[in-house]
């Protein structure tokens, strides 16, 4: 239908200023005719509410770590008490790894009685709905602990904690990998501020009935754009120069392409080594030493100004108090 093709404006300002659209329809009811109204564009549970909820429930750096683990095809198990929250957050992970597509097992809801599935040799993303007591039992389950040593990461939506895989070397890679954590933290804080004024951030029924407010829409779009840019950064120039990194063959049956990771990785390695060498030489230069010294002096001068401001405020208060006291005595 035409309503499904409605999209938001490209500009954030236009989104804020545009009058919200709705799809209204009258349906027969016992007491006459009932009118239903659906916000447009149509609310998307995973891409919108799931992303917002995921960012509200876990820390920004934890979310980026989870997404980076998915990029290297490590299994993710999401635990929670509410089926709607678990399902939407699990599906949101697939939205946030764009432009990539998860190519392995995906189960938004895995019955807790099938927890032995965590020992699957194939990577997976799955959600489990359980009580708080059962979630603690799952986290302590010997099968889960064994799976964690082989690549499994646990996301606990109840306690807002993640337990990163104990697979050798993975934690250090995740810690060392650059990420836009500071920016994402600002968006997280913004969503927390908007939560009080927007009931749609608080429950799925409110979201489906009313959709997000325009301010929330802008914030969520910024979050997804930031994360997609981060995800895309790992693929270099593959999107435009993919043919340079493999063997393209033509035949009567069509064409085939075999990708050679070494052709893609080696130039990147050389770039990183060259940049590191340049930086190392630069850091030993007089130019950089003077730059560091300027930063030091600037920091000290700002501290001195702050002290003077404090002294000035103290003196002003002291003079004011003395004046008030003398005025009373007179």
């Amino acid at each position: 239908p035409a309503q499904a093709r409605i999209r938001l404006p490209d500009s954030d300002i236009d989104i804020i200023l545009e009058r919200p659209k709705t799809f209204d329809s009258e349906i027969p009811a016992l007491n006459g005719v009932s009118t239903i109204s659906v916000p447009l564009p149509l609310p998307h549970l995973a891409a919108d509410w799931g992303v917002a909820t995921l960012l509200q429930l876990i820390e920004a750096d934890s979310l980026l770590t989870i997404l980076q683990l998915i990029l290297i095809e490590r299994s993710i198990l999401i635990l929670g008490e509410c089926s709607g929250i678990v399902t939407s957050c699990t599906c949101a992970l697939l939205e946030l790894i764009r432009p990539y597509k998860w190519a392995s097992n995906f189960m938004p809801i895995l019955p807790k009685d099938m927890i032995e599935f965590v020992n699957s040799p194939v990577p997976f993303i799955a959600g489990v709905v359980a009580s708080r007591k059962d979630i603690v039992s799952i986290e302590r389950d010997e099968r889960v602990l064994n799976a964690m040593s082989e690549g499994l990461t646990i996301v606990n939506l109840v306690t807002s904690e993640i337990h990163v895989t104990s697979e050798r070397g993975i934690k250090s890679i995740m810690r060392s990998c650059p990420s836009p954590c500071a920016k994402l933290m600002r968006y997280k804080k913004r969503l927390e501020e908007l939560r009080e004024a927007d009931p749609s951030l608080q429950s799925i029924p409110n979201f489906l009935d009313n959709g997000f407010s325009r301010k929330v829409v802008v914030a969520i779009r910024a979050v997804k754009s930031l994360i997609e840019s981060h995800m895309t950064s790992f693929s270099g120039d593959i999107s435009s120069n993919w043919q340079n990194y493999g063997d393209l063959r033509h035949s009567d049956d069509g064409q085939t392409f075999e990708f050679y990771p070494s052709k893609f990785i080696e130039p990147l390695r050389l770039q990183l080594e060259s940049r590191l060498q340049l930086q190392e030489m630069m850091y030993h230069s007089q130019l950089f030493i003077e730059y560091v010294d300027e930063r030091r002096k600037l920091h000290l001068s700002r501290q001195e100004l702050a002290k003077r401001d404090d002294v000035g405020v103290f003196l002003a208060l002291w003079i004011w108090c003395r004046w008030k006291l003398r005025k009373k005595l007179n």
Side-chain angles (χ1 to χ4, degrees), residues 8 12 15-16 44-56 63 92 95-96 184 186-188 190-192 194-195 198 200-201 207 211-228:
L8 291 168
D12 290 346
I15 292 176
I16 298 294
H44 195 296
L45 195 58
D48 298 328
W49 198 83
V51 170
T53 303
L54 199 55
L55 188 55
Q56 290 178 90
L63 177 56
E95 293 288 333
L96 291 174
L184 194 57
R186 288 197 291 270
Y187 290 132
K188 175 181 173 66
R190 176 61 174 158
L191 284 176
E192 290 171 352
L194 292 171
R195 179 181 172 84
D198 192 339
S200 297
L201 279 169
F207 169 70
F212 284 144
S213 69
R214 289 310 171 99
K215 290 181 179 179
V216 174
V217 168
V218 169
I220 295 298
R221 189 160 80 163
V223 167
K224 291 194 284 188
S225 176
L226 176 67
I227 292 177
E228 183 173 354

Side-chain angles (χ1 to χ4, degrees), residues 90-107:
T90 306
C91 293
L93 292 178
L94 302 190
E95 293 288 333
L96 291 174
I97 62 170
R98 290 183 176 183
Y100 315 109
K101 294 181 180 178
W102 181 247
S104 194
N105 290 331
F106 176 71
M107 291 159 287

